[in-house]
């Protein structure tokens, strides 16, 4: 599966060796492609440089493990009716353009209302729902 990762997850993965970095590692080990584009990569770099400069080096070490998608298309009509800020629309468009099946973001404020929905063929997840649905697999009841 191709999974697009938002800048806030890249930031978290670079800032600490916690749950998000482990999630990215588990996804790759399970054979999933973790995809970003220049837009989210630059946002993560910029935020790390400003808020946690030591994380920039960690991010740069993560980059070779990621698939870099092309720049997002200018087809804002596809997401124009969604209640997303203009800064977040390119993220969703990039996931669609990169033919990803999922977009994972920690942005509950803007993407939260879309969690669990499919837009343009992309399922939108929080890190938790992605881990539960993709890594844990179907659960059986006892």
């Amino acid at each position: 599966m191709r999974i697009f990762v938002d800048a806030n997850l890249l930031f978290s993965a670079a800032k600490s060796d916690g749950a998000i970095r482990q999630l990215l590692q588990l996804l790759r080990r399970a054979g999933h492609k973790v995809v970003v584009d220049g837009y989210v990569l630059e946002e993560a770099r910029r935020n790390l440089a400003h808020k946690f400069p030591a994380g920039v080096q960690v991010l740069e070490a993560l980059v070779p493990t990621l698939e870099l998608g092309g720049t997002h298309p200018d087809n804002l009509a596809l997401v124009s009716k969604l209640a997303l800020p203009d800064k977040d629309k390119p993220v969703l468009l990039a996931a669609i353009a990169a033919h990803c099946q999922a977009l994972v973001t920690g942005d509950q404020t803007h993407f939260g209302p879309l969690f669990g929905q499919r837009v343009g063929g992309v399922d939108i997840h929080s890190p938790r729902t992605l881990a539960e649905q993709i890594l844990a697999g179907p659960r059986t009841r006892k």
Side-chain angles (χ1 to χ4, degrees):
M1 176 179 287
R2 295 173 59 76
I3 302 166
F4 195 90
V5 177
D6 197 1
N8 54 58
L9 267 73
L10 293 175
F11 180 94
S12 295
K15 185 176 178 191
S16 75
D17 189 17
I20 299 301
R21 191 181 304 171
Q22 291 174 14
L23 174 63
L24 297 180
Q25 291 169 349
L26 288 170
L27 289 170
R28 289 191 312 272
R29 282 190 209 131
H32 300 288
K33 299 290 183 193
V34 179
V35 182
V36 297
D37 75 341
Y39 181 82
V40 298
L41 194 54
E42 189 52 39
E43 181 180 348
R45 278 186 186 119
R46 183 178 61 249
N47 288 333
L48 282 165
H50 178 70
K51 299 174 184 175
F52 191 76
V56 175
Q57 185 176 359
V58 178
L59 177 64
E60 296 308 326
L62 286 174
V63 170
T65 69
L66 307 172
E67 182 176 314
L68 187 60
T71 58
H72 61 84
D74 291 329
N75 186 3
L76 290 177
L78 185 62
V79 296
S80 64
K81 295 183 182 184
L82 296 176
L84 280 175
D86 287 344
K87 72 173 189 67
D88 291 323
K89 290 177 181 178
V91 175
L92 180 54
L93 286 171
I96 294 168
H99 305 289
C100 292
Q101 288 77 36
L103 163 65
V104 61
T105 178
D107 184 349
Q108 293 184 15
T109 302
H110 300 125
F111 280 99
L114 297 174
F115 287 168
Q117 294 187 38
R118 181 174 289 178
V119 179
V122 176
D123 293 329
I124 301 173
H125 288 278
S126 69
R128 181 179 181 161
T129 62
L130 182 81
E132 289 173 350
Q133 292 181 15
I134 295 178
L135 293 175
R139 295 181 184 221
T140 57
R141 293 182 183 237
K142 293 184 178 183

